[in-house]
Amino acid sequence: MVRPVSLRSVVPVVYSLALAVAVLGPLVFSPGYLLLRDAVSTPRSFPTDSALGITDAAARAVPQDALLAVVTVVVDGGVAVTVLLMAALWAAGWGAARLVATLLPGRTSGLPAQLVAATVAVWNPYVAERLLQGHWSLLVGYAALPWVVCATVAVRGGQRGGWWALAAWLAAAGLTPTGAVLAAITALALLAAPGGTTWRWPRIAGGTALSVVASMPWLVATAVSGGGSDADPAGVAAFAARAEPLLGTLGSLAGLGGIWNADAVPGSRATPWALVGTVALLIVVACGLPALWRRREPVTVTLAVLAVVAVLAPALAATAVGLRAGEWSMLHVPGAGLLRDTQKWVALALPLYVLSAGAGIGGLRARFGGRDAVWATAAVLVVLVATPDLVWGVGGRVRPVQYPAGWRQVAGIVTADDGDVAVLPAGMFRRFEYSGRAAVLDPAPRMLRADVLQTGQLVVAGGAVAGEGRRAADVETLLLAGADPGELAARGVGWVLVEHGTPGELGESQRTLDGLERVHGDAELSLYRVPGASRQPADRDAAVAAHVLWALLLGGGAAGGLAVRLRGQARAAREQT
């Protein structure tokens, strides 16, 4: 006999899905591909060296790109990215509701509190800004945090399935390096907190081991290739948290906003409404703080410490002293480039925010009377109005695009056997008519089956931040100087792709192109073959093994957790008969 599913457990799931659809409607209901700033989805992706993170550029998109290379063999890449992004926002809301049900006692963890928590998790400036910046895979790591907390609570209490769940959610968060670090910090902080029925040091050791395995793709890629070991100090100031109108940097971060790119914010955050919305969100969150303070349980205290650090540390990093310290770390600390976008770390405040927002419903009832449902409805409306333009693709700005037919034709011609691909115009960002006004990452690296050489240079307000792609920079310099094609071939370049209709430097490259065979040409793209290219293939074994370990952690954790759950339900059914 299977226990019936309760309304209390189903409603947060459906409600969270509805919120996710409300945010991502343009992607869900229209065909096409997400192409917005850092987000690039393509019909197919391929397991290139770049996808495995073993080029001289930093391994920022592993195992994300390798996963898409596998998935898009059977599923269109536009559908795959939309499904993953939908799952992320859905999981964020559902996980917030589960966190409230797990940590709050009795009536205070009821359905109204869970729905408020789910709303705060999905509907806030952090989600809006990261969507507009194109950080869809970072939102997967963000969404995993409430589930990581629930899993660590299960581990601390010696519950069956706790370790399996923790393994799965750490791996899910590890879709990007930042997500892996966010989840590892959260898990290890909670496993190290006092209390619980299990021994502290064994659980810390277990959490550390799982975190390392979840991070293996980017750790191994960085060790093998050395990419990202020499980050440009100029990136510290360029990617520092930014003050929004009437808020200051600290206020912006406390309101889960303050991304470095002023163009990647919803319209309401560029007006005095940023102050109104932040105050509204913080009032909803603050309502539950007295109740959490009275309980002061180790898990809750740890989440509070993480939230304070998550807000204060990026604010301090944006000060003169913090900027100097960050510049020093870029020069002397290997891998410090991962830290330079400081606002992204405010995600660590999410578990406390959703827990406190949920606890606030019971606090308001106890102080002012009334029904939980009434207070919850008011809180939900306040949170929605605080970021009003998050709805429907952040005011329609997150929407699918269609690639011109030439991209598919070029993708069918280029093969990895004939060498790598150099691109023109110079740079790695594009402005196509079909992609809208925002600059977008060049889709070529994910569209083609050969490695596309990219310098990694980022053009930001106030200047440029140098990238790590030294070989790509060398090839780009040769192209702009109009070098002999033989010099490109000697550096392993077998193709030159010219992308028309986008601004960028071309230099004297036409001299080089005149000496090459054009194998494709249309209004959008021209592809040239470079004869005689030869390139020593990279050793992929370690990187592939690291990705396999990550996949086993994700799949094994999910399967193990499901098996434990099914056995528990079967045992409960036998006891009732």
Side-chain angles (χ1 to χ4, degrees), residues 27 33-42 45 58 60-62 64-65 68 81 85 126 128-139 175-176 178 238-239 259-265 337-338 340-341 343-344 397-399 401 403 427-432 435 437-447 454 456-460 465:
L27 288 176
Y33 302 90
L34 181 59
L35 183 63
L36 178 63
R37 294 189 174 88
D38 294 348
V40 180
S41 65
T42 56
S45 295
R60 295 188 179 93
V62 293
Q64 165 199 309
D65 285 355
L68 289 177
V81 169
L85 185 49
Y126 188 93
E129 293 175 359
R130 292 298 158 176
L131 281 174
L132 290 176
Q133 188 58 36
H135 290 173
W136 66 269
S137 51
L138 172 59
L139 289 175
L175 191 62
T176 61
T178 297
F239 296 110
I259 193 172
W260 61 271
N261 187 357
D263 293 330
V265 299
L338 179 65
R340 65 186 183 184
D341 179 359
Q343 189 268 349
K344 65 187 176 183
R397 294 163 68 183
V398 181
R399 57 178 178 78
V401 305
Y403 289 106
M428 55 186 288
F429 280 87
R430 302 289 186 244
R431 290 183 186 272
F432 299 115
S435 63
R437 293 178 299 173
V440 300
L441 273 177
D442 188 350
R446 291 174 175 84
M447 187 77 74
Q454 292 199 309
Q457 184 183 61
L458 303 175
V459 179
V460 296
V465 179

Side-chain angles (χ1 to χ4, degrees), residues 249-279:
T249 304
L250 183 61
S252 300
L253 291 165
L256 302 182
I259 193 172
W260 61 271
N261 187 357
D263 293 330
V265 299
S268 62
R269 302 297 294 185
T271 71
W273 188 260
L275 173 62
V276 177
T278 295
V279 171

Side-chain angles (χ1 to χ4, degrees), residues 467-493:
E468 307 89 356
R470 300 295 177 238
R471 175 166 167 257
D474 181 30
V475 169
E476 185 179 274
T477 300
L478 289 173
L479 270 175
L480 296 180
D484 183 270
E487 295 190 59
L488 299 180
R491 287 164 175 79
V493 177

Side-chain angles (χ1 to χ4, degrees), residues 153-171:
V153 169
V155 170
R156 288 169 58 87
Q159 297 178 27
R160 292 188 179 92
W163 283 112
W164 291 110
L166 183 58
W169 286 110
L170 285 173

Side-chain angles (χ1 to χ4, degrees), residues 478-485 507-516:
L478 289 173
L479 270 175
L480 296 180
D484 183 270
E508 301 298 321
S509 59
Q510 190 60 48
R511 288 206 310 248
T512 303
L513 300 178
D514 288 341
L516 299 175

